[in-house]
Protein backbone atom coordinates (compact mmCIF):
# COMPACT_ATOMS: atom_id res chain seq x y z
CA UNK A 1 0.00 0.00 0.00
CA UNK A 2 1.43 3.36 -0.97
CA UNK A 3 2.27 5.85 1.81
CA UNK A 4 0.88 8.74 -0.24
CA UNK A 5 -2.69 9.87 0.19
CA UNK A 6 -4.98 7.88 -2.13
CA UNK A 7 -6.37 9.60 -5.19
CA UNK A 8 -10.03 10.51 -5.28
CA UNK A 9 -12.43 9.96 -8.16
CA UNK A 10 -16.20 9.73 -8.71
CA UNK A 11 -17.96 6.38 -8.48
CA UNK A 12 -19.85 5.00 -11.47
CA UNK A 13 -22.22 2.06 -11.82
CA UNK A 14 -19.58 -0.13 -13.44
CA UNK A 15 -17.52 0.03 -10.22
CA UNK A 16 -20.02 -1.90 -8.11
CA UNK A 17 -18.84 -5.49 -8.79
CA UNK A 18 -15.22 -4.66 -7.94
CA UNK A 19 -16.26 -2.49 -5.01
CA UNK A 20 -18.43 -5.29 -3.61
CA UNK A 21 -15.57 -7.79 -3.84
CA UNK A 22 -13.24 -5.30 -2.17
CA UNK A 23 -15.72 -4.60 0.61
CA UNK A 24 -16.22 -8.31 1.29
CA UNK A 25 -12.44 -8.76 1.48
CA UNK A 26 -12.18 -5.93 4.03
CA UNK A 27 -14.82 -7.63 6.18
CA UNK A 28 -13.02 -10.98 5.89
CA UNK A 29 -9.79 -9.32 7.05
CA UNK A 30 -11.04 -7.00 9.77
CA UNK A 31 -14.50 -8.24 10.80
CA UNK A 32 -17.83 -6.49 10.56
CA UNK A 33 -17.09 -3.68 13.01
CA UNK A 34 -16.76 -0.51 10.97
CA UNK A 35 -17.98 -2.06 7.69
CA UNK A 36 -21.42 -3.65 8.20
CA UNK A 37 -22.63 -5.90 5.33
CA UNK A 38 -21.64 -5.80 1.68
CA UNK A 39 -25.33 -5.44 0.75
CA UNK A 40 -25.40 -2.07 2.48
CA UNK A 41 -23.19 -0.67 -0.30
CA UNK A 42 -25.71 -0.80 -3.18
CA UNK A 43 -28.60 -0.12 -0.82
CA UNK A 44 -27.05 3.10 0.45
CA UNK A 45 -25.79 4.21 -2.96
CA UNK A 46 -29.05 3.69 -4.81
CA UNK A 47 -32.04 3.41 -2.48
CA UNK A 48 -30.81 5.96 0.05
CA UNK A 49 -29.71 8.48 -2.58
CA UNK A 50 -33.06 8.09 -4.39
CA UNK A 51 -31.95 8.84 -7.92
CA UNK A 52 -29.53 11.65 -7.14
CA UNK A 53 -26.40 11.64 -9.36
CA UNK A 54 -24.06 9.06 -7.89
CA UNK A 55 -21.04 10.55 -9.67
CA UNK A 56 -21.43 13.68 -7.57
CA UNK A 57 -22.25 12.06 -4.25
CA UNK A 58 -20.34 8.76 -4.17
CA UNK A 59 -16.55 8.86 -4.04
CA UNK A 60 -13.85 6.25 -4.41
CA UNK A 61 -10.27 6.48 -3.23
CA UNK A 62 -7.67 4.35 -5.00
CA UNK A 63 -4.03 3.47 -4.45
CA UNK A 64 -2.50 1.89 -7.53
CA UNK A 65 -5.19 -0.38 -8.93
CA UNK A 66 -6.83 -1.01 -5.52
CA UNK A 67 -9.96 0.60 -4.13
CA UNK A 68 -8.99 1.73 -0.63
CA UNK A 69 -11.91 3.95 0.36
CA UNK A 70 -15.58 4.68 -0.26
CA UNK A 71 -17.61 7.76 0.63
CA UNK A 72 -21.41 7.95 0.27
CA UNK A 73 -22.63 11.50 0.78
CA UNK A 74 -25.99 13.16 1.42
CA UNK A 75 -27.79 10.06 2.70
CA UNK A 76 -31.15 11.23 4.05
CA UNK A 77 -30.20 14.74 2.98
CA UNK A 78 -27.65 15.30 5.75
CA UNK A 79 -25.50 12.22 6.44
CA UNK A 80 -22.41 10.53 5.03
CA UNK A 81 -20.63 7.18 5.29
CA UNK A 82 -16.92 6.54 4.87
CA UNK A 83 -15.35 3.09 4.66
CA UNK A 84 -11.66 2.47 4.13
CA UNK A 85 -9.24 -0.42 3.76
CA UNK A 86 -8.14 -2.02 7.05
CA UNK A 87 -4.51 -1.02 6.38
CA UNK A 88 -5.53 2.65 6.33
CA UNK A 89 -7.62 2.68 9.49
CA UNK A 90 -6.52 5.43 11.84
CA UNK A 91 -4.17 7.05 9.34
CA UNK A 92 -4.02 10.46 7.70
CA UNK A 93 -5.74 8.87 4.70
CA UNK A 94 -8.85 7.93 6.71
CA UNK A 95 -8.89 11.40 8.27
CA UNK A 96 -8.74 12.97 4.79
CA UNK A 97 -11.62 10.76 3.60
CA UNK A 98 -13.76 11.83 6.55
CA UNK A 99 -12.98 15.49 6.00
CA UNK A 100 -13.79 15.23 2.29
CA UNK A 101 -17.10 13.49 2.97
CA UNK A 102 -18.07 16.12 5.55
CA UNK A 103 -17.31 18.94 3.14
CA UNK A 104 -19.08 17.25 0.21
CA UNK A 105 -22.21 16.60 2.24
CA UNK A 106 -22.26 20.08 3.76
CA UNK A 107 -22.00 21.70 0.32
CA UNK A 108 -24.72 19.49 -1.14
CA UNK A 109 -27.26 19.98 1.64
CA UNK A 110 -30.25 21.97 0.43
CA UNK A 111 -32.18 22.32 3.70
CA UNK A 112 -32.00 25.62 5.56
CA UNK A 113 -29.04 25.65 8.00
CA UNK A 114 -31.44 26.82 10.71
CA UNK A 115 -33.64 23.72 10.37
CA UNK A 116 -30.80 21.32 9.38
CA UNK A 117 -27.77 22.70 11.21
CA UNK A 118 -25.67 19.50 11.34
CA UNK A 119 -23.84 17.04 9.11
CA UNK A 120 -24.35 13.52 10.44
CA UNK A 121 -22.60 10.17 10.35
CA UNK A 122 -22.82 6.97 12.34
CA UNK A 123 -20.25 4.59 13.78
CA UNK A 124 -20.21 1.12 15.32
CA UNK A 125 -19.93 1.10 19.12
CA UNK A 126 -16.80 -1.07 18.81
CA UNK A 127 -15.06 1.20 16.29
CA UNK A 128 -12.84 3.14 18.67
CA UNK A 129 -10.62 4.28 15.79
CA UNK A 130 -13.46 6.02 13.96
CA UNK A 131 -14.84 7.48 17.19
CA UNK A 132 -11.43 9.02 17.93
CA UNK A 133 -11.07 10.48 14.44
CA UNK A 134 -14.55 11.97 14.49
CA UNK A 135 -13.77 13.64 17.81
CA UNK A 136 -10.61 15.14 16.33
CA UNK A 137 -12.70 16.51 13.45
CA UNK A 138 -15.14 18.22 15.81
CA UNK A 139 -17.98 15.68 15.73
CA UNK A 140 -19.92 14.88 18.90
CA UNK A 141 -22.08 11.88 19.71
CA UNK A 142 -25.75 12.78 20.01
CA UNK A 143 -27.76 9.55 19.88
CA UNK A 144 -27.83 5.79 19.71
CA UNK A 145 -28.85 5.03 16.15
CA UNK A 146 -29.31 1.34 15.27
CA UNK A 147 -29.31 -2.02 16.95
CA UNK A 148 -27.17 -4.37 14.85
CA UNK A 149 -28.43 -7.93 15.24
CA UNK A 150 -27.42 -11.39 14.07
CA UNK A 151 -28.91 -14.87 13.84
CA UNK A 152 -27.15 -18.14 13.09
CA UNK A 153 -28.30 -20.11 10.05
CA UNK A 154 -25.68 -22.80 9.66
CA UNK A 155 -27.24 -25.99 11.01
CA UNK A 156 -30.85 -26.78 10.01
CA UNK A 157 -30.99 -29.62 12.57
CA UNK A 158 -29.72 -27.73 15.62
CA UNK A 159 -31.24 -24.42 14.56
CA UNK A 160 -34.44 -25.07 12.62
CA UNK A 161 -36.31 -22.29 10.85
CA UNK A 162 -40.07 -22.02 11.08
CA UNK A 163 -41.91 -22.37 7.83
CA UNK A 164 -43.36 -19.09 6.53
CA UNK A 165 -47.11 -18.81 6.98
CA UNK A 166 -49.25 -16.11 5.40
CA UNK A 167 -52.91 -15.38 6.14
CA UNK A 168 -55.49 -16.92 3.85
CA UNK A 169 -55.58 -15.20 0.48
CA UNK A 170 -52.08 -13.69 0.75
CA UNK A 171 -49.31 -14.91 -1.55
CA UNK A 172 -45.59 -14.97 -0.74
CA UNK A 173 -43.47 -14.53 -3.86
CA UNK A 174 -40.49 -12.76 -5.34
CA UNK A 175 -40.87 -9.25 -6.70
CA UNK A 176 -41.22 -8.37 -10.37
CA UNK A 177 -40.32 -5.20 -12.24
CA UNK A 178 -44.05 -4.74 -12.78
CA UNK A 179 -44.41 -4.37 -8.98
CA UNK A 180 -42.69 -0.97 -8.97
CA UNK A 181 -45.89 0.93 -8.21
CA UNK A 182 -46.99 -1.47 -5.48
CA UNK A 183 -43.53 -1.50 -3.92
CA UNK A 184 -43.36 2.29 -3.98
CA UNK A 185 -46.74 2.53 -2.26
CA UNK A 186 -45.74 -0.05 0.35
CA UNK A 187 -42.49 1.78 1.11
CA UNK A 188 -44.28 5.10 1.35
CA UNK A 189 -46.70 3.65 3.87
CA UNK A 190 -44.05 1.80 5.89
CA UNK A 191 -41.45 4.57 6.00
CA UNK A 192 -43.45 7.77 5.34
CA UNK A 193 -41.52 8.21 2.10
CA UNK A 194 -42.52 9.67 -1.26
CA UNK A 195 -41.45 7.11 -3.84
CA UNK A 196 -43.17 6.98 -7.21
CA UNK A 197 -43.28 3.87 -9.37
CA UNK A 198 -40.93 5.43 -11.91
CA UNK A 199 -38.43 6.60 -9.30
CA UNK A 200 -38.35 3.23 -7.54
CA UNK A 201 -37.92 1.43 -10.86
CA UNK A 202 -35.18 3.75 -12.16
CA UNK A 203 -33.32 4.46 -8.92
CA UNK A 204 -33.45 0.96 -7.39
CA UNK A 205 -34.90 -1.89 -9.41
CA UNK A 206 -32.85 -1.35 -12.59
CA UNK A 207 -29.63 -0.37 -10.82
CA UNK A 208 -26.59 -2.60 -10.21
CA UNK A 209 -26.80 -4.90 -7.23
CA UNK A 210 -30.59 -5.16 -7.03
CA UNK A 211 -32.37 -8.32 -8.12
CA UNK A 212 -36.15 -8.81 -7.96
CA UNK A 213 -35.38 -12.40 -6.98
CA UNK A 214 -34.02 -11.10 -3.67
CA UNK A 215 -37.04 -8.98 -2.80
CA UNK A 216 -39.71 -11.13 -1.16
CA UNK A 217 -43.21 -9.69 -1.06
CA UNK A 218 -46.53 -10.60 0.48
CA UNK A 219 -49.27 -9.87 -2.04
CA UNK A 220 -52.70 -9.15 -0.55
CA UNK A 221 -55.91 -10.62 -1.99
CA UNK A 222 -56.64 -7.26 -3.63
CA UNK A 223 -53.26 -7.31 -5.40
CA UNK A 224 -51.53 -4.73 -3.21
CA UNK A 225 -48.01 -5.29 -1.87
CA UNK A 226 -48.64 -5.72 1.84
CA UNK A 227 -45.10 -6.42 3.06
CA UNK A 228 -41.61 -6.72 1.60
CA UNK A 229 -38.07 -7.71 2.53
CA UNK A 230 -34.94 -7.29 0.44
CA UNK A 231 -32.15 -9.70 1.29
CA UNK A 232 -28.47 -9.57 0.34
CA UNK A 233 -25.83 -12.28 0.13
CA UNK A 234 -22.16 -12.01 1.02
CA UNK A 235 -20.93 -15.32 -0.36
CA UNK A 236 -17.32 -14.57 0.56
CA UNK A 237 -18.15 -14.35 4.29
CA UNK A 238 -21.33 -16.50 4.17
CA UNK A 239 -23.47 -13.78 5.71
CA UNK A 240 -26.96 -12.79 4.63
CA UNK A 241 -28.53 -9.42 5.42
CA UNK A 242 -31.94 -7.72 5.36
CA UNK A 243 -32.32 -4.14 4.14
CA UNK A 244 -35.05 -2.97 4.06
CA UNK A 245 -38.01 -4.75 5.66
CA UNK A 246 -41.43 -3.13 5.87
CA UNK A 247 -45.19 -3.58 6.04
CA UNK A 248 -47.88 -1.35 4.61
CA UNK A 249 -49.79 0.21 7.51
CA UNK A 250 -53.07 -1.31 6.28
CA UNK A 251 -51.67 -4.80 6.95
CA UNK A 252 -49.98 -4.54 10.34
CA UNK A 253 -50.15 -7.32 12.93
CA UNK A 254 -50.85 -10.13 10.50
CA UNK A 255 -47.42 -11.77 10.63
CA UNK A 256 -46.54 -10.67 7.10
CA UNK A 257 -43.09 -9.24 7.83
CA UNK A 258 -42.24 -12.45 9.67
CA UNK A 259 -43.47 -14.49 6.71
CA UNK A 260 -41.44 -12.65 4.08
CA UNK A 261 -38.33 -12.77 6.28
CA UNK A 262 -38.68 -16.49 6.91
CA UNK A 263 -39.08 -17.08 3.18
CA UNK A 264 -35.84 -15.17 2.59
CA UNK A 265 -34.01 -16.90 5.44
CA UNK A 266 -34.78 -20.33 3.99
CA UNK A 267 -33.34 -19.09 0.68
CA UNK A 268 -30.27 -17.69 2.41
CA UNK A 269 -29.59 -20.99 4.12
CA UNK A 270 -30.01 -22.83 0.83
CA UNK A 271 -27.50 -20.41 -0.71
CA UNK A 272 -24.91 -21.37 1.92
CA UNK A 273 -25.20 -18.46 4.34
CA UNK A 274 -24.07 -19.29 7.88
CA UNK A 275 -25.52 -16.21 9.55
CA UNK A 276 -28.01 -13.44 8.77
CA UNK A 277 -28.01 -9.87 10.06
CA UNK A 278 -30.47 -7.01 10.27
CA UNK A 279 -30.14 -3.45 11.59
CA UNK A 280 -33.00 -1.32 12.87
CA UNK A 281 -33.58 1.96 14.67
CA UNK A 282 -32.95 1.26 18.34
CA UNK A 283 -36.15 3.12 19.28
CA UNK A 284 -38.33 0.93 17.04
CA UNK A 285 -39.94 -1.44 19.53
CA UNK A 286 -42.16 -3.28 17.00
CA UNK A 287 -39.04 -4.07 14.93
CA UNK A 288 -37.26 -5.21 18.07
CA UNK A 289 -40.07 -7.63 18.87
CA UNK A 290 -40.23 -8.92 15.29
CA UNK A 291 -36.53 -9.66 15.02
CA UNK A 292 -36.19 -11.07 18.54
CA UNK A 293 -39.09 -13.42 17.75
CA UNK A 294 -37.11 -14.66 14.74
CA UNK A 295 -34.06 -15.40 16.89
CA UNK A 296 -31.95 -12.31 16.22
CA UNK A 297 -29.76 -11.06 19.07
CA UNK A 298 -28.06 -7.70 19.39
CA UNK A 299 -24.37 -7.82 18.53
CA UNK A 300 -23.58 -4.10 18.28
CA UNK A 301 -25.14 -0.67 18.25
CA UNK A 302 -24.33 2.28 16.06
CA UNK A 303 -23.96 5.78 17.45
CA UNK A 304 -24.96 8.96 15.66
CA UNK A 305 -22.33 11.72 15.51
CA UNK A 306 -22.85 15.25 14.20
CA UNK A 307 -20.92 18.40 13.49
CA UNK A 308 -22.34 21.86 12.68
CA UNK A 309 -22.41 22.92 9.05
CA UNK A 310 -20.23 25.83 8.11
CA UNK A 311 -21.62 28.61 5.97
CA UNK A 312 -19.74 27.51 2.86
CA UNK A 313 -19.61 23.82 3.72
CA UNK A 314 -15.84 24.03 4.18
CA UNK A 315 -13.83 22.30 6.86
CA UNK A 316 -12.19 24.67 9.31
CA UNK A 317 -10.06 22.01 11.03
Amino acid sequence: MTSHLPRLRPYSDVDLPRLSRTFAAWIAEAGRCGYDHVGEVPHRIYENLRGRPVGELVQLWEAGDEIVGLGINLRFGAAFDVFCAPALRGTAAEMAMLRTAYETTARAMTADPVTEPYVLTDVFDCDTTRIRLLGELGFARFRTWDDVTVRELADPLDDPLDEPVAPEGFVLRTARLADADGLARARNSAFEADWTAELYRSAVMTRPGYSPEREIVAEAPDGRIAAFAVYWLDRHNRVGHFEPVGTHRDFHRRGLARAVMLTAMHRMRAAGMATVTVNYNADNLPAQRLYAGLGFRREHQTYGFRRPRTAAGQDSC
Side-chain angles (χ1 to χ4, degrees), residues 7-297:
R7 67 182 180 276
L8 174 65
R9 69 167 176 86
Y11 165 90
S12 68
D13 289 349
V14 296
D15 291 311
L16 185 62
R18 184 163 70 101
L19 176 59
S20 297
R21 292 192 297 271
T22 298
F23 207 83
W26 292 348
I27 295 168
E29 178 180 347
R32 188 181 182 191
C33 184
Y35 296 101
D36 213 330
H37 190 274
V38 67
E40 288 284 340
V41 173
H43 172 76
R44 296 182 190 194
I45 290 174
Y46 297 110
E47 185 149 350
N48 284 178
L49 294 185
R50 295 173 55 83
R52 296 184 180 94
V54 296
E56 297 176 14
L57 296 176
V58 184
Q59 300 159 324
L60 294 179
W61 285 268
E62 294 179 322
D65 59 357
E66 294 182 64
I67 296 173
V68 297
L70 166 67
I72 306 173
N73 301 292
L74 209 67
R75 291 181 65 216
F76 311 116
F80 70 83
D81 294 320
V82 166
F83 307 100
C84 76
L88 296 183
R89 295 303 315 276
T91 68
E94 183 174 8
M95 182 70 88
M97 293 176 193
L98 290 168
R99 185 178 290 112
T100 298
Y102 165 79
E103 294 176 354
T104 302
T105 298
R107 283 195 299 267
M109 290 172 68
T110 58
D112 190 311
V114 175
T115 59
E116 291 284 356
Y118 297 104
V119 176
L120 313 178
T121 191
D122 66 343
V123 57
F124 272 66
D125 54 5
C126 52
D127 193 351
T128 55
T129 297
R130 178 60 58 83
I131 291 171
R132 173 178 60 81
L133 294 180
L134 289 174
E136 293 175 10
L137 283 171
F139 283 79
R141 177 181 167 184
F142 72 102
R143 62 170 285 184
T144 297
W145 208 309
D146 280 352
D147 281 351
V148 179
T149 67
V150 62
R151 187 200 194 280
E152 302 300 319
L153 280 178
D155 193 333
L157 296 178
D158 294 339
D159 188 17
L161 284 173
D162 290 342
E163 292 298 321
V165 177
E168 185 177 356
F170 287 78
V171 176
L172 301 174
R173 61 171 175 82
T174 56
R176 309 170 186 129
L177 289 178
D179 290 322
D181 182 63
L183 289 167
R185 292 174 185 272
R187 276 164 167 69
N188 292 345
S189 179
F191 305 135
E192 298 183 358
D194 59 355
W195 290 99
T196 65
E198 178 52 38
L199 182 59
Y200 187 68
R201 185 184 296 109
S202 63
V204 178
M205 298 186 83
T206 59
R207 290 290 187 164
Y210 176 86
S211 169
E213 291 294 314
R214 286 187 288 97
E215 180 152 17
I216 307 301
V217 303
E219 181 182 324
D222 63 6
R224 286 187 289 168
I225 302 299
F228 56 89
V230 179
Y231 71 93
W232 305 88
L233 302 175
D234 178 352
R235 298 183 188 276
H236 186 92
N237 296 291
R238 298 183 64 210
V239 180
H241 183 64
F242 285 106
E243 183 63 76
V245 177
T247 303
H248 192 292
R249 67 173 65 92
D250 290 349
F251 299 99
H252 283 179
R253 298 182 180 87
R254 302 193 194 189
L256 294 170
R258 177 183 176 87
V260 294
M261 289 184 70
L262 281 169
T263 301
M265 289 162 69
H266 279 279
R267 294 183 180 212
M268 291 183 198
R269 175 175 276 172
M273 301 300 105
T275 58
V276 55
T277 60
V278 64
N279 307 345
Y280 62 92
N281 189 307
D283 296 331
N284 189 336
L285 295 181
Q288 182 186 80
R289 290 191 291 269
L290 168 66
Y291 302 137
L294 286 166
F296 287 85
R297 56 177 175 79

